[in-house]
């Protein structure tokens, strides 16, 4: 159950990774840029897994009360998904900014 949130979020994270790898087409596609893109994608995946794992550990499971379990147990899966998604997006946005600054075509 620990990685269920990431498993359910994985298709969307793969789409974000593909979009990062493919666009923008206006930047030159050098070998160094491809290594940078690969490193950014690996870092984003690592950050997503780490943050989701930490969020799973910090999410509290509600106790069973007099009338049965209280609502809120879903947060043990929602919180890791939010943290994992957030970490992945933050890394990819920072990589987009760095990539644009380094590989943009220079104005003449």
């Amino acid at each position: 159950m620990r990685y269920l949130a990431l498993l359910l979020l994985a298709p969307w994270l793969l789409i974000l990774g593909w979009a990062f790898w493919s666009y923008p087409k206006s930047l030159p596609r050098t070998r160094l840029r491809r290594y940078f893109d690969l490193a950014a994608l690996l870092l984003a995946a690592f950050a997503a897994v780490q943050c989701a794992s930490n969020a799973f550990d910090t999410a509290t499971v509600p106790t069973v009360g007099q009338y049965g379990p209280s609502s809120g147990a879903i947060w043990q899966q929602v919180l890791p998904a939010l943290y994992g998604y957030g970490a992945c997006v933050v890394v990819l946005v920072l990589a987009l900014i760095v990539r644009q600054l380094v590989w943009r075509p220079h104005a003449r």
Side-chain angles (χ1 to χ4, degrees):
M1 297 299 282
R2 180 175 203 79
Y3 297 107
L4 177 63
L6 276 179
L7 183 65
L8 295 174
L9 195 60
W12 177 241
L13 294 180
L14 288 172
I15 290 170
L16 286 177
W18 169 80
F20 175 80
W21 184 266
S22 299
Y23 296 103
K25 298 200 182 269
S26 62
L27 296 179
R29 296 178 187 259
T30 63
R31 181 178 294 187
L32 185 60
R33 180 183 156 202
R34 286 300 176 198
Y35 287 149
F36 175 80
D37 289 350
L38 182 62
L41 287 171
L42 290 174
L43 183 63
F46 179 75
V49 170
Q50 284 301 110
C51 286
S53 179
N54 290 344
F56 184 84
D57 292 336
T58 61
T60 58
V61 179
T63 59
V64 176
Q66 180 181 358
Y67 301 107
S70 59
S71 65
I74 190 68
W75 282 103
Q76 196 171 20
Q77 295 303 323
V78 173
L79 193 63
L82 291 174
Y83 278 32
Y85 176 72
C88 182
V89 168
V90 164
V91 170
L92 290 181
V93 166
L94 290 175
L96 279 171
I97 292 169
V98 169
R99 184 170 71 178
Q100 187 66 30
L101 291 174
V102 173
W103 282 283
R104 70 176 171 217
H106 298 293
R108 292 178 188 216

